Amino acid sequence: VCLRKKHQNRHLNFCGHIGDGAILYLNNQSSEAYYASLPENGEYVNQTYFVTDTNWQDHLRVSETGDEYEACFAMTDGVTAMALSKDKPFNGFIDPILNYISKNSEKNSKIALENMFCSDRALSISLDDKSICWFIKC
């Protein structure tokens, strides 16, 4: 969950996150400066935490990120293998997507992302679900 709230004449961004996906806040529509809420896997491989778990509150991470970030990228675990490298944004994946969706229509962006996530290369990296949500400050 990404939330933006106005407080004392400035905007505050909050990140609420549970599970094995990741959330990145990026500066200047570039992955050079960032804040990351990293995946939390369960005790075993292919295990994670959900809000439907009885102890979900124990795994909820909430943090204030400030208002300096211009883009927020939330992703499922199938995308994290492509978007993160050693727990940092992988510019070779993120920057081209930011550039493309900021310059193209919603329809063309959707087609390009579908083609990318269904490509043999993407499937060789992860067979897991691949969903993203992107917010860009206007």
Side-chain angles (χ1 to χ4, degrees), residues 29-111:
Q29 294 191 20
S30 168
S31 57
E32 291 298 323
Y34 68 94
Y35 163 81
S37 180
L38 298 172
E40 181 184 19
N41 294 317
E43 188 176 341
Y44 305 102
V45 175
N46 292 327
Q47 179 187 7
T48 191
Y49 302 103
F50 300 95
V51 294
T52 54
D53 292 340
T54 55
N55 64 337
W56 67 271
Q57 296 96 330
D58 297 339
H59 301 283
L60 176 66
R61 285 113 50 213
V62 178
S63 53
E64 180 184 333
T65 62
D67 66 349
E68 68 272 19
Y69 300 105
E70 296 187 0
C72 176
F73 179 39
M75 68 196 94
T76 58
D77 57 335
V79 179
T80 59
M82 294 180 271
L84 296 175
S85 176
K86 298 181 182 174
D87 294 339
K88 294 181 179 180
F90 175 55
N91 297 14
F93 178 81
I94 293 172
D95 289 346
I97 292 176
L98 275 172
N99 184 48
Y100 190 88
I101 64 175
S102 67
K103 295 178 180 175
N104 288 278
S105 70
E106 180 181 337
K107 180 181 177 182
N108 287 344
S109 295
K110 179 182 182 289
I111 292 168

Side-chain angles (χ1 to χ4, degrees), residues 20-22 24 26 31 38-39 73-98 112-132 134:
D20 57 1
L24 299 173
L26 307 168
S31 57
L38 298 172
F73 179 39
M75 68 196 94
T76 58
D77 57 335
V79 179
T80 59
M82 294 180 271
L84 296 175
S85 176
K86 298 181 182 174
D87 294 339
K88 294 181 179 180
F90 175 55
N91 297 14
F93 178 81
I94 293 172
D95 289 346
I97 292 176
L98 275 172
L113 289 170
E114 284 176 354
N115 288 337
M116 180 187 63
F117 287 142
C118 294
S119 71
D120 290 339
R121 175 77 174 123
L123 294 173
S124 73
I125 294 170
S126 174
L127 293 174
D128 213 333
D129 60 297
K130 294 175 183 70
S131 299
I132 62 171
W134 208 280

